[in-house]
Amino acid sequence: MMDSTTRSTSRTSIRGTARTGRRGRAGAAAVLAVLTVTAAAGCKAQATGSAPAAPSAPPRATATTTDDDKPASRPPTPAASSPEATASPTPKPDPQGTTLMASGTESKQVRELQARLRQIGHFDRSPTGYYGSVTVAAVQSFQGKRGLSRTGRTDTLTWQKLLGMTHEPTAAELNPPTTRPAAKPDKRCMTGRVLCISKNSRTLSWMIDGRVVSSMDVRFGSQYTPTREGTFSVYWKSRHHVSTIYHTAMPYAMFFSGGQAVHYSADFAARGYNGASHGCVNVRDEGKIASLFAQVKNGDKVVVLG
């Protein structure tokens, strides 16, 4: 049985223990709050007895490859940057010189280039003045033969070499009468007055006693309505003719085989070789066919070559 002193001491001890417990719980709560705040800041809790963790590196800026980046979103440039990192490289000069003409150029100089290339067999058609894929291939061919880089561009070195190998083009070379060179005349075309027509070169040459008076581009019938080949004669001329079958205009018609004639074609003038005739020989230059119509007579020979 406890005495009063013992009971008093016990009550004091219990109250002390209770206060100590409350202080312990309060301390633990405070420590937990600190850990919670620390974790929220991004740090990692460290285990008891382990070495301190190395501080995490700051996030690295990642480069972007899109065109949508704005300067403000990029990391600032370091204050001390080396000249090698910021200086743009100096472009090396082209060993063949400055480019004078290239794909897409359209000018009188391009027409001269094409005429000069044609003189030495690198360009197989009439000059157009436009630097397209055919001209690129022709320049590459010329450059390859001369030991130059096959760029397809006409630079100063390529141009100088070409000038040294060719003569100044004549007016006829710059603006020839036909798109492609006229075919070598057949022996049937070498005597008398002859309309010498070649399907292969798609040209018509008006010849008198073996001399070419004029030449022009022509178009022929399709595979279903082919232009007949052989030797014929002009048997009828009709200045304002209209086809009774197709009801289309056939100006300056010179008939040589049934319903087939040499005549002007507005469709040929507009669409070129994208179309075909119904068997006639179409001419697209109205001025030339008008002049030819005035010169040709009934009975003149017509030779159509395959």
Side-chain angles (χ1 to χ4, degrees):
M1 184 173 183
M2 293 183 181
D3 56 19
S4 60
T5 302
T6 301
R7 286 194 299 269
S8 175
T9 302
S10 297
R11 285 193 297 269
T12 302
S13 176
I14 290 170
R15 285 194 298 271
T17 300
R19 285 194 297 272
T20 301
R22 285 193 297 272
R23 285 196 300 269
R25 286 193 297 272
V31 171
L32 179 59
V34 171
L35 289 175
T36 302
V37 172
T38 303
C43 296
K44 185 178 180 180
Q46 182 177 314
T48 304
S50 63
S56 60
R60 298 174 61 185
T62 57
T64 179
T65 58
T66 68
D67 293 331
D68 296 331
D69 276 345
K70 298 178 182 179
S73 66
R74 292 175 178 160
T77 304
S81 59
S82 62
E84 292 80 3
T86 57
S88 58
T90 303
K92 295 182 180 180
D94 190 331
Q96 293 185 185
T98 305
T99 297
L100 303 176
M101 293 167 276
S103 181
T105 305
E106 187 172 11
S107 66
K108 292 181 179 179
Q109 190 178 24
V110 173
R111 184 177 290 274
E112 180 182 351
L113 166 71
Q114 294 166 336
R116 288 180 180 273
L117 288 169
R118 185 175 180 179
Q119 289 175 11
I120 53 177
H122 289 280
F123 193 74
D124 67 348
R125 59 192 63 191
S126 295
T128 63
Y130 179 75
Y131 207 118
S133 59
V134 175
T135 305
V136 170
V139 171
Q140 287 175 331
S141 174
F142 174 79
Q143 290 171 328
K145 290 283 188 180
R146 305 295 170 260
L148 304 175
S149 298
R150 293 167 55 90
T151 63
R153 302 186 302 272
T154 302
D155 47 62
T156 49
L157 181 56
T158 299
W159 183 241
Q160 289 302 320
K161 284 188 175 293
L162 182 61
L163 292 179
M165 298 180 60
T166 56
H167 62 263
E168 184 175 352
T170 64
E173 288 176 321
L174 291 171
N175 296 279
T178 58
T179 302
R180 301 178 70 87
K184 183 179 179 180
D186 184 85
K187 62 181 182 180
R188 291 171 289 177
C189 301
M190 299 306 294
T191 57
R193 299 162 57 89
V194 188
L195 292 172
C196 196
I197 303 168
S198 170
K199 287 184 176 181
N200 184 47
S201 65
R202 297 187 291 193
T203 59
L204 179 157
S205 294
W206 168 231
M207 302 182 66
I208 299 178
D209 295 330
R211 178 178 62 88
V212 176
V213 178
S214 63
S215 295
M216 57 203 74
D217 294 326
V218 290
R219 186 178 71 172
F220 303 95
S222 67
Q223 60 177 326
Y224 305 106
T225 56
T227 302
R228 288 184 282 275
E229 299 173 14
T231 302
F232 312 92
S233 296
V234 175
Y235 71 88
W236 180 35
K237 295 173 60 180
S238 179
R239 167 66 179 84
H240 301 286
H241 194 78
V242 176
S243 172
T244 57
I245 300 175
Y246 303 106
H247 307 289
T248 55
M250 298 170 55
Y252 306 102
M254 293 172 279
F255 290 89
F256 61 87
S257 178
Q260 295 189 356
V262 176
H263 67 85
Y264 170 71
S265 170
D267 181 74
F268 184 23
R271 297 200 300 146
Y273 292 101
N274 290 326
S277 74
H278 291 98
C280 288
V281 178
N282 292 164
V283 178
R284 62 178 167 188
D285 190 318
E286 188 172 9
K288 287 185 176 181
I289 189 67
S291 176
L292 181 63
F293 185 86
Q295 297 175 60
V296 171
K297 301 175 181 179
N298 286 340
D300 286 345
K301 190 187 304 183
V302 179
V303 177
V304 182
L305 307 170

